[in-house]
Amino acid sequence: MSPKLERLSQALQEVLGDKLRSIVVDRGEVTIDVAPEDYLGVAQSLRDHADLCFEELIDVSGLDYSTYGNGAWGGKRFAVAVHLLSVAKNWRLRVKVFAADDDFPVLESVVGVWPSANWYERETFDLYGIMFSGHPDLRRILTDYGFVGHPFRKDFPVTGYVEMRYDAEQGRVVYQPVTVEPRENTPRIVREENYGDVGHG
Amino acid sequence: MAEIRNYTINFGPQHPSAHGVLRLVLELDGEVVERADPHIGLLHRGTEKLAETRTWIQSVPYMDRLDYVSMMCNEHAYCMAIERLLGIEVPIRAQYIRVMFDEVTRILNHLLGIGTHALDIGAMTMVLYTFREREDLMDVYEAVSGARMHAAYYRPGGVYRDLPDRMPQYEVNKFKNANTVRQLNESRQGSMLDFLEDFTNRFNGYCDDYETLLTDNRIWKQRTVGIGVVTPEQAKAWGFTGVMLRGSGVAWDLRKKQPYEVYDQVDFDVPVGKTGDCYDRYLVRMEEMRQSNRIIKQCIDWLRKNPGPVIADNHKVAPPPRERMKANMEELIHHFKLFTEGMHVPAGEVYAAVEHPKGEFGVYAVSDGANKPYRLKMRAPGFAHLAAMDEIARGHMIADVVAIIGTMDVVFGEIDR
């Protein structure tokens, strides 16, 4: 671990204390895991504490762990990974929060802390159906007007459920059930460790 | 008689200066914007979901189609994410090639950005000149990858192949006679590097021409000075990166601050704006092109002197050379496995960001050890920039909205993904 990451993880442990569920340093990146009820408070101190200074929110990404490792996942299903950047300190951090309820995932919105979270949370809501309480304008953003479902969930087929075409008789565009057959060109495979190494098998 | 002054209008998605498919719902008080509500997603293709159904290498061409005016920079972030997950090193020559093409891409992007920005607000001539120069750089793209735009040239572990020894030449046809063709081919007699060097020698003169057209142009200044002012605090709060952040006076450039590849080996300066208006961002882009030109020259010098491999030797990740594949059973198996099943990337997650011409382009990749990504999230700079549209445009005239869209340099391939 480089001295910089050491400093960052120490500062995180000091500032956040027992709100830190876990801290992982892997491949030169720091990831912390916080509980959903602590999320907003942690966000506030990450931005404002003089030892951390995460003044920019770079990205918010939804995650659906339901088929992770072909079903080997035991934890909660939905998570949000927030990427933060400190321009002053020149370091980055990933904050992961798992939503408590798998059927109706709700997290607190951090729009009040970082205004740039606005569209990112709308996107996460649109694609994963994760709700953000306290968000000023939680509309769909990327999908079609009147779209049903959350397309990036693992149980949503790549082909979708409806397709759109122009109907000459009715003289307008109509939606109908998809006629495309789902297909998979290359199957998804998780191999055992050191598969294909020299001297193995 | 009561005067009706409030309108709600649709700006786009077919408006030529909406840069593609932006639908902007503007609430106006007379000609003053009270609220701007961008509706995006008209170009949403679900790249991230599609990538989950392809092997790692099959998604490289999707990256070109994100920001389709800076193709290779997108590939760069994606390949860097895979390389970090795998923990493999890229050969030094490939790193120089990548830096060189990142800068070629930056010039390509800024030429289009400045050209169309000027076109949008009334300076038609600019786009004609900038597209002339883009043509030369497109030819460079074509010479290395075979495609003018969607190159798929960067691969996990390096680049697809070494730089070609010969530059493709024009041929006589019914539109171009022998004399024209001879003139066009004058700079194309040598290798691709010779052609690119010739371009870099000419390019500063072209920049001077653009500056003559715009920098002191009274109309250009009237349309851009004091328009779309962003303070450094606002820029950080809205998640701005790249030129949008530097234009406000924050000296933040990933190439300097978190150097990747060989950016710490080359010499260049980072221009920074003062007031954070459209004019400053224009000046920053102009200077960035000159700096990119400088980097390209240094890379050309280095690449001339130092031959070597351009892709990693690990055949679990990168395919073996074709001749060896045809002569050696082991290599044939590697080739077959790599292009059918694909590579297996160890479980973990990584966020790799590059200084894309528009800002910070990042790829957040989560792998569970399979031959496909478990989750791939692209962080597009334009998405954050456009999200601030409402607050930047508020209080401006409707004609200034066009200037603001131009200065944000939005491209919907990356925003809608």
Side-chain angles (χ1 to χ4, degrees):
Chain A
M1 207 191 319
S2 72
K4 187 163 210 177
L5 293 182
E6 198 113 18
R7 268 208 330 273
L8 173 59
S9 37
Q10 222 158 42
L12 284 167
Q13 263 148 1
E14 276 164 29
V15 175
L16 300 178
D18 53 355
K19 284 183 181 166
L20 217 55
R21 268 193 188 164
S22 74
I23 177 162
V24 182
V25 182
D26 180 32
R27 298 172 170 106
E29 293 176 25
V30 183
T31 310
I32 59 168
D33 190 343
V34 296
E37 56 273 15
D38 296 335
Y39 177 45
L40 196 59
V42 166
Q44 196 78 43
S45 37
L46 284 176
R47 189 193 66 177
D48 294 335
H49 199 281
D51 291 346
L52 297 168
C53 280
F54 287 102
E55 65 268 78
E56 270 205 52
L57 178 139
I58 287 292
D59 189 27
V60 177
S61 161
L63 289 156
D64 174 1
Y65 276 102
S66 55
T67 61
Y68 189 86
N70 292 344
W73 187 256
K76 295 283 178 205
R77 180 175 174 191
F78 291 107
V80 160
V82 180
H83 289 91
L84 302 174
L85 168 74
S86 167
V87 170
K89 302 267 187 190
N90 189 13
W91 52 34
R92 289 173 186 280
L93 175 69
R94 174 163 47 240
V95 184
K96 278 178 104 171
V97 198
F98 282 87
D101 189 353
D102 284 355
D103 297 321
F104 186 64
V106 185
L107 289 173
E108 274 183 285
S109 168
V110 290
V111 174
V113 185
W114 295 285
S116 59
N118 188 326
W119 274 25
Y120 286 115
E121 287 180 353
R122 277 178 69 184
E123 180 194 323
T124 310
F125 157 70
D126 187 3
L127 303 177
Y128 283 94
I130 300 172
M131 310 295 287
F132 291 91
S133 65
H135 190 285
D137 181 23
L138 200 64
R139 281 177 293 158
R140 285 186 179 271
I141 185 164
L142 286 176
T143 50
D144 199 358
Y145 303 111
F147 190 87
V148 179
H150 299 288
F152 278 27
R153 289 187 173 187
K154 290 285 180 183
D155 48 12
F156 192 98
V158 178
T159 47
Y161 294 113
V162 288
E163 64 185 23
M164 195 172 78
R165 67 173 173 88
Y166 178 75
D167 188 302
E169 276 173 29
Q170 296 179 55
R172 66 183 179 89
V173 161
V174 293
Y175 287 87
Q176 65 186 34
V178 278
T179 53
V180 198
E181 291 283 319
R183 58 174 187 153
E184 191 174 42
N185 291 332
T186 314
R188 179 188 162 81
I189 309 159
V190 182
R191 296 279 186 194
E192 69 273 27
E193 208 136 306
N194 61 32
Y195 160 79
D197 280 0
V198 181
H200 173 82
Chain B
M1 201 174 92
E3 200 183 347
I4 301 170
R5 283 164 52 88
N6 285 312
Y7 305 86
T8 300
I9 65 161
N10 262 318
F11 180 94
Q14 282 94 359
H15 194 285
S17 64
H19 282 219
V21 291
L22 170 64
R23 178 177 171 215
L24 199 54
V25 180
L26 294 172
E27 281 172 25
L28 302 172
D29 177 22
E31 234 187 299
V32 178
V33 177
E34 288 200 317
R35 180 165 175 267
D37 181 16
H39 287 211
I40 62 166
L42 282 89
L43 199 61
H44 180 60
R45 294 144 295 174
T47 308
E48 294 159 359
K49 177 105 177 168
L50 277 173
E52 289 170 11
T53 66
R54 312 282 133 137
T55 63
W56 288 91
I57 201 159
Q58 281 173 345
S59 296
V60 173
Y62 280 134
M63 297 302 133
D64 294 317
R65 286 148 180 87
L66 288 169
D67 180 354
Y68 44 75
V69 292
S70 24
M71 296 68 72
M72 287 201 196
C73 287
N74 308 336
E75 291 168 21
H76 197 168
Y78 179 66
C79 292
M80 245 165 60
I82 299 175
E83 284 150 12
R84 282 207 196 142
L85 276 168
L86 286 159
I88 55 167
E89 277 292 313
V90 177
I92 183 83
R93 187 174 165 85
Q95 296 191 21
Y96 269 95
I97 293 177
R98 282 181 176 187
V99 166
M100 183 171 84
F101 273 97
D102 273 10
E103 298 309 317
V104 166
T105 309
R106 197 176 313 278
I107 294 180
L108 271 172
N109 178 79
H110 286 350
L111 283 176
L112 184 122
I114 292 174
T116 51
H117 186 198
L119 173 73
D120 287 346
I121 56 182
M124 167 113 200
T125 327
M126 264 309 276
V127 79
L128 303 177
Y129 284 114
T130 58
F131 270 63
R132 179 190 61 187
E133 271 69 83
R134 269 171 65 83
E135 202 58 31
D136 281 349
L137 294 177
M138 291 285 190
D139 287 348
V140 172
Y141 257 53
E142 189 175 1
V144 293
S145 72
R148 283 162 52 85
M149 293 190 75
H150 302 306
Y153 180 56
Y154 294 12
R155 300 290 164 88
V159 295
Y160 164 58
R161 63 169 190 181
D162 209 342
L163 305 169
D165 296 330
R166 127 168 221 290
M167 191 71 194
Q169 300 188 354
Y170 283 97
E171 284 168 14
V172 180
N173 58 30
K174 64 179 171 185
F175 302 107
K176 291 191 176 73
N177 62 27
N179 203 14
T180 322
V181 166
R182 201 179 55 248
Q183 278 177 7
L184 284 169
N185 284 342
E186 246 166 39
S187 55
R188 291 162 196 265
Q189 297 304 318
S191 69
M192 191 223 91
L193 281 179
D194 295 334
F195 178 76
L196 193 59
E197 189 174 35
D198 177 64
F199 176 85
T200 54
N201 292 334
R202 285 179 280 138
F203 186 66
N204 264 329
Y206 294 145
C207 283
D208 294 340
D209 291 349
Y210 307 148
E211 301 235 26
T212 320
L213 269 169
L214 290 182
T215 305
D216 290 320
N217 184 320
R218 193 157 45 90
I219 306 172
W220 174 255
K221 279 178 133 176
Q222 279 171 352
R223 292 298 307 273
T224 53
V225 175
I227 303 297
V229 179
V230 180
T231 65
E233 292 72 33
Q234 285 176 326
K236 284 184 216 160
W238 292 335
F240 283 12
T241 43
V243 178
M244 295 294 288
L245 185 60
R246 288 195 287 276
S248 303
V250 183
W252 178 262
D253 190 320
L254 289 181
R255 295 176 293 171
K256 286 275 188 206
K257 298 285 181 180
Q258 300 175 356
Y260 48 95
E261 311 296 10
V262 286
Y263 273 115
D264 47 355
Q265 310 282 316
V266 291
D267 205 20
F268 66 101
D269 299 321
V270 176
V272 172
K274 264 187 180 165
T275 53
D277 59 4
C278 293
Y279 187 69
D280 269 25
R281 288 189 283 268
Y282 153 74
L283 291 177
V284 169
R285 290 206 170 95
M286 285 307 281
E287 186 54 33
E288 269 190 15
M289 290 203 289
R290 292 179 195 265
Q291 295 299 331
S292 296
N293 203 34
R294 237 174 104 194
I295 300 176
I296 295 175
K297 279 189 178 174
Q298 295 168 44
C299 289
I300 291 174
D301 278 348
W302 192 95
L303 286 167
R304 282 232 168 90
K305 290 182 206 132
N306 297 280
V310 294
I311 194 152
D313 202 24
N314 182 347
H315 296 325
K316 300 268 180 271
V317 177
R322 245 181 130 72
E323 308 81 59
R324 294 225 316 262
M325 187 265 281
K326 303 231 170 175
N328 185 329
M329 190 63 205
E330 184 88 357
E331 310 285 53
L332 182 66
I333 295 170
H334 273 131
H335 185 275
F336 177 75
K337 286 302 273 181
L338 196 58
F339 285 102
T340 51
E341 184 178 320
M343 66 179 96
H344 284 266
V345 171
E349 51 188 347
V350 80
Y351 176 81
V354 296
E355 186 68 29
H356 187 275
K358 294 183 168 62
E360 175 180 324
F361 184 91
V363 169
Y364 172 47
V366 181
S367 171
D368 61 349
N371 53 346
K372 300 173 178 182
Y374 185 75
R375 165 80 166 124
L376 197 67
K377 169 85 181 17
M378 268 79 70
R379 192 271 173 191
F383 190 82
H385 298 160
L386 193 67
M389 186 68 185
D390 181 31
E391 301 191 51
I392 297 180
R394 196 172 291 164
H396 281 85
M397 307 285 267
I398 185 168
D400 297 334
V401 171
V402 176
I404 294 169
I405 295 174
T407 196
M408 282 178 176
D409 199 5
V410 289
V411 161
F412 279 86
E414 58 158 13
I415 292 173
D416 290 348
R417 282 161 285 150

